[in-house]
Amino acid sequence: MEPLRIHTGVVCPLNRSNIDTDQIIPKQFLKRIERSGFGQFLFYHWRFDDDGNLRKDFSMNHPKYQGASILVAGENFGCGSSREHAPWAIQDFGFKVVIAQSYADIFKNNCVKNGILTIQASEEQVQTIMRKAESEGYTLTVNLEDQVVYDNQGLEIKFDIPPYPKEMLLNGWDEIGVTLNYEDKISQYELASK
Amino acid sequence: MQKPKNIIQKVWEQHVVHQEAGKPDLLYIDLHLVHEVTSPQAFEGLRMNGRKVRRPDLTYATMDHNVSTRDRNVIKDPISKKQIDTLKENCQEFGVELSDRQHPDNGIVHVIGPELGLTQPGKTIVCGDSHTSTHGAFGALAFGIGTSEVEHVLATQTLWQAPPKTMNVKMNGKLGTGVTAKDLILAIIGKFGVQFGTGYVMEYTGEAIRSLSMEERMTVCNMSIEGGARAGLIAPDETTFEYLKGRRHVPKGEAFEEAVAKWRTLSTEEGAEYDAVVEIEASEVEPQVTWGTNPGMCIPITASVPNPEEEEKSNKKDEISRALQYMGLEADQPISSVKIDHVFIGSCTNSRLSDLRKAADVVRGHKVNPKVKAIVVPGSFSVKLAAEKEGIDQIFKEAGFEWREAGCSMCLAMNDDIVPPGGRCASTSNRNFEGRQGNGSRTHLVSPEMAAAAAVAGHFVDVRQFTAQEVL
Ligand code: SF4
């Protein structure tokens, strides 16, 4: 997994709440047995109409958001199904950071495992970013070490993140590798609970 | 003296392998259930790193999402077929027990776990599937995980998890006649919203919960995730032990008595605290129907669809308007006036024998409305057999329902059971998200009884008043 320390990127607003993982990646794309290539199906039925043409009224399709790497949304982002295909699609599409008012638990976990940073911000902060992101080429910089998001117009938002996911993201660790160092403890537990 | 503990804290503490400052707890996993959709990349990860499955004996696999409910032996879509075949190969390579499509134990993962007695009180249970919360009905701490975590559990039989906050969801009083466990959990999500449980594990308590059967308790716990909680559980009692006795993986004879004695100690202690408490009066709950595009958007059958103009906040207004538009409904329309064209009785929420029995009781002697296509999909092979033994299949078939093979089916339409664009379905499943049952499909979540009544009437009806005369 790639480490994430400081990231600057174009911001794409998605002004909705309760965006479920069925919308992020619809079920017909869950049949693949690979981990890659899901980006093309991201928000499939919101991005494309029934004939496969881009929907002009969907924010993500606007030319000014092409190449965006920071996604901004409302409350309860990523609710519903536990499918990790959702963060895979988000990442494969080019997003590295999500900023939202709140997240579903499983989705948030899945993001960390894939090196995607999920930042929780207040409703006011999210709305401010959404508004600013209406202007072409609006970028934010995220500094994970210092736990701060800022733009070049004076906006600065501090955010919280527990030490463990922070460390994982900063170092891009393979978690299984880390856990296998605790092999003795696991064996002891197994013996004791027999 | 030690502070009294609730059941969630007790099960948690019993499974901590390692604790250190600045890290979540390393939690031991007693049972890992696996299905074809969320596991291939995890097995591939093991292979790439030369790792093996640490405890194949604590791992159990089934295939349910892609299977055809028309003919178990045929899967037309080659990509679905590949996913199914991949699971089989992976299970062989890594030594994991699998009930494949033709196996008599096959069925939806959350139906067969309890059926086989794999699900037991006090266990930690995970699966790459958010409805793993179902197993909480037995007093197990059961939650859904992503594929990276599936790989982690396969390799280490553990997970790093921060201790959850705990919530007591109190269900006071008794449910009225014709009101079901499904209505109870829908009403709770309707009242408190789709994210009130985020960050929490719930314990369901109260008189209404105690009087539910195991299958009804599974319906409640199944939908914990729809309220945002990764897990929801119910302390085991005589009902639980009675259900478990004699099941294949449950200890027998004296060992069973010992297990029961241990399970009894799991219950929340007098005076134990929770981080939050919510309450609902079960006696006030009416049969529910969802009108929108998430499970929190639900109303009693006696009510009307909400009007966005009555909302103050603009984002709430937008949310309601968008849902009404997607669902093709008018504001203030009585929900009972909504006509349906599909009925799905099935899914890990409501596809067990008692669900089918109750739906069959409603259907008996009636005919499915000619404009409605109705299917019944038992949750497992053994549910199907048991139902056929009782003649339940005949009741459905005579009424005009299709009687199918077991699987997830139209709950998420990954196989060929799909509601067409613009189609409207009364469904006993758990999610009414946009496109869940097929691109452009419109889902209304209801109990099996309400779905059965709607199939006959062709629109939603109050099952409490459902009689031959009123069908018209
Ligand atoms: S029945 Fe539906 S909710 Fe349950 S496991 Fe299958 S797809 Fe998921």
Side-chain angles (χ1 to χ4, degrees):
Chain A
M1 186 170 104
E2 253 177 70
L4 184 113
R5 292 178 172 267
I6 296 184
H7 175 76
T8 301
V10 172
V11 177
C12 175
L14 194 47
N15 200 359
R16 296 188 190 189
S17 283
N18 299 316
I19 294 176
D20 58 79
T21 53
D22 273 77
Q23 308 316 315
I24 298 175
I25 180 97
K27 51 37 206 4
Q28 64 269 36
F29 307 118
L30 305 184
K31 298 178 178 179
R32 299 157 60 95
I33 56 170
E34 300 84 19
R35 226 182 169 107
S36 55
F38 288 99
Q40 54 188 314
F41 311 123
L42 180 69
F43 292 115
Y44 192 81
H45 295 299
W46 288 357
R47 277 170 57 219
F48 300 101
D49 65 19
D50 293 345
D51 302 322
N53 302 313
L54 279 181
R55 289 185 199 266
K56 291 222 168 62
D57 56 349
F58 184 55
S59 67
M60 199 173 267
N61 286 339
H62 195 280
K64 67 184 168 194
Y65 301 125
Q66 298 320 300
S69 60
I70 300 176
L71 184 63
V72 184
E75 286 180 288
N76 202 25
F77 189 75
C79 59
S81 157
S82 62
R83 57 187 73 164
E84 198 164 314
H85 311 69
W88 293 338
I90 287 174
Q91 186 171 52
D92 192 47
F93 195 79
F95 290 108
K96 292 188 159 36
V97 178
V98 184
I99 302 175
Q101 279 166 251
S102 58
Y103 301 90
D105 291 333
I106 304 177
F107 176 81
K108 194 167 64 182
N109 263 326
N110 285 342
C111 282
V112 179
K113 313 288 176 196
N114 289 281
I116 302 169
L117 171 62
T118 54
I119 294 174
Q120 188 166 4
S122 69
E123 181 174 2
E124 202 191 321
Q125 290 166 337
V126 164
Q127 288 307 323
T128 305
I129 298 175
M130 296 247 189
R131 213 170 38 244
K132 283 170 167 257
E134 282 168 20
S135 49
E136 177 117 27
Y138 178 71
T139 61
L140 278 173
T141 298
V142 178
N143 181 328
L144 176 55
E145 188 84 68
D146 297 342
Q147 299 181 205
V148 64
V149 181
Y150 55 90
D151 65 10
N152 54 14
Q153 306 161 9
L155 176 89
E156 189 180 300
I157 298 169
K158 292 288 256 177
F159 64 89
D160 285 330
I161 180 170
Y164 183 73
K166 182 175 175 178
E167 217 183 344
M168 294 290 300
L169 289 165
L170 284 173
N171 297 296
W173 273 336
D174 161 31
E175 197 182 32
I176 298 176
V178 173
T179 310
L180 289 173
N181 294 329
Y182 294 82
E183 162 64 35
D184 285 359
K185 292 255 179 183
I186 301 172
S187 298
Q188 270 170 27
Y189 178 93
E190 285 174 333
L191 272 176
S193 57
K194 259 199 181 140
Chain B
M1 220 183 82
Q2 266 203 335
K3 239 175 112 181
K5 289 177 192 146
N6 66 46
I7 181 171
I8 304 161
Q9 294 159 333
K10 287 193 204 178
V11 178
W12 188 276
E13 282 173 15
Q14 288 171 8
H15 290 86
V16 173
V17 171
H18 175 73
Q19 255 172 343
E20 79 184 65
K23 276 203 163 83
D25 294 347
L26 189 61
L27 204 67
Y28 198 80
I29 302 303
D30 295 323
L31 174 65
H32 185 190
L33 301 166
V34 173
H35 68 64
E36 79 272 21
V37 183
T38 53
S39 67
Q41 295 86 351
F43 283 111
E44 182 60 21
L46 292 185
R47 228 176 341 256
M48 270 161 41
N49 291 290
R51 291 169 178 151
K52 54 184 183 33
V53 176
R54 182 183 176 88
R55 295 293 300 269
D57 57 321
L58 302 183
T59 313
Y60 188 91
T62 188
M63 30 186 79
D64 48 10
H65 286 65
N66 283 285
V67 299
S68 166
T69 59
R70 291 172 204 272
D71 181 345
R72 307 188 70 74
N73 299 308
V74 180
I75 293 183
K76 288 200 200 112
D77 179 349
I79 318 177
S80 285
K81 175 81 168 42
K82 177 102 202 272
Q83 199 165 56
I84 289 278
D85 292 344
T86 303
L87 180 65
K88 199 163 181 171
E89 286 159 24
N90 283 331
C91 287
Q92 271 162 4
E93 181 180 340
F94 290 93
V96 172
E97 187 176 348
L98 164 75
S99 63
D100 71 10
R101 279 182 286 160
Q102 290 83 4
H103 198 285
D105 294 337
N106 182 268
I108 305 173
V109 62
H110 310 308
V111 175
I112 64 171
E115 243 172 39
L116 297 171
L118 288 163
T119 305
Q120 291 170 20
K123 277 192 180 182
T124 45
I125 302 177
V126 297
C127 173
D129 194 288
S130 60
H131 292 104
T132 309
S133 59
T134 313
H135 307 262
F138 292 80
L141 182 67
F143 53 92
I145 56 179
T147 298
S148 293
E149 290 176 310
V150 169
E151 186 180 338
H152 194 277
V153 177
L154 288 173
T156 70
Q157 205 58 34
T158 62
L159 277 176
W160 294 98
Q161 294 285 308
K165 290 183 283 180
T166 62
M167 184 187 290
N168 181 0
V169 181
K170 272 171 123 169
M171 304 180 172
N172 304 321
K174 280 206 173 72
L175 287 173
T177 316
V179 186
T180 69
K182 179 68 161 284
D183 301 309
L184 184 58
I185 187 66
L186 279 173
I188 284 182
I189 300 166
K191 182 169 175 188
F192 301 108
V194 289
Q195 55 170 332
F196 81 105
T198 305
Y200 290 89
V201 170
M202 297 172 176
E203 181 186 356
Y204 298 103
T205 64
E207 191 188 350
I209 279 291
R210 286 295 138 211
S211 48
L212 296 181
S213 69
M214 278 324 290
E215 301 198 340
E216 291 169 323
R217 292 179 189 184
M218 286 188 245
T219 301
V220 171
C221 290
N222 175 274
M223 292 192 71
S224 304
I225 183 69
E226 278 15 285
R230 279 179 89 175
L233 51 78
I234 296 171
D237 58 12
E238 296 312 316
T239 309
T240 322
F241 310 142
E242 189 55 40
Y243 176 98
L244 286 170
K245 197 171 183 175
R247 297 202 178 249
R248 195 181 313 157
H249 291 270
V250 174
K252 308 262 160 358
E254 224 170 276
F256 179 72
E257 296 312 321
E258 276 170 32
V260 168
K262 208 171 114 204
W263 294 337
R264 280 186 208 283
T265 66
L266 290 168
S267 296
T268 293
E269 289 157 12
E270 188 71 33
E273 287 174 11
Y274 300 82
D275 298 297
V277 183
V278 299
E279 292 192 53
I280 192 161
E281 289 304 320
S283 58
E284 290 169 12
V285 173
E286 296 185 76
Q288 304 284 310
V289 184
T290 64
W291 59 267
T293 52
N294 72 47
M297 293 174 163
C298 73
I299 48 175
I301 178 68
T302 51
S304 296
V305 172
N307 190 330
E309 292 314 314
E310 284 163 24
E311 275 294 332
E312 275 168 26
K313 282 182 84 177
S314 74
N315 52 356
K316 283 271 171 244
K317 250 194 224 310
D318 291 351
E319 206 180 340
I320 295 176
S321 306
R322 204 165 37 232
L324 289 181
Q325 197 197 359
Y326 181 87
M327 293 298 291
L329 297 175
E330 303 285 334
D332 297 325
Q333 176 179 2
I335 195 75
S336 57
S337 70
V338 176
K339 292 200 171 80
I340 50 147
D341 39 59
H342 282 73
V343 168
F344 169 59
I345 298 179
S347 90
C348 58
T349 317
N350 281 126
S351 64
R352 298 179 181 84
L353 188 58
S354 59
D355 296 314
L356 305 189
R357 269 189 200 138
K358 288 179 205 158
D361 280 346
V362 174
V363 165
R364 199 190 309 268
H366 292 297
K367 288 274 182 241
V368 169
N369 185 289
K371 296 210 173 78
V372 174
K373 176 182 161 73
I375 68 171
V376 186
V377 182
S380 70
F381 201 57
S382 75
V383 169
K384 179 168 184 270
L385 279 186
E388 286 170 358
K389 226 169 158 181
E390 290 182 16
I392 288 175
D393 59 324
Q394 286 308 324
I395 300 174
F396 281 119
K397 283 193 248 179
E398 275 161 25
F401 278 83
E402 289 178 38
W403 177 253
R404 297 288 191 83
E405 297 285 339
C408 291
S409 177
M410 210 179 260
C411 171
L412 94 164
M414 251 182 107
N415 68 353
D416 50 358
D417 300 327
I418 293 172
V419 177
R424 190 180 294 284
C425 184
S427 177
T428 67
S429 54
N430 44 43
R431 285 189 175 138
N432 50 341
F433 296 151
E434 287 181 24
R436 174 78 179 182
Q437 297 190 289
N439 182 24
S441 63
R442 294 157 172 167
T443 303
H444 297 269
L445 303 176
V446 286
S447 71
E449 290 91 321
M450 285 285 285
V456 174
H459 58 89
F460 292 108
V461 279
D462 191 336
V463 71
R464 294 171 299 183
Q465 283 144 27
F466 181 81
T467 62
Q469 294 89 310
E470 264 158 294
V471 166
L472 311 167

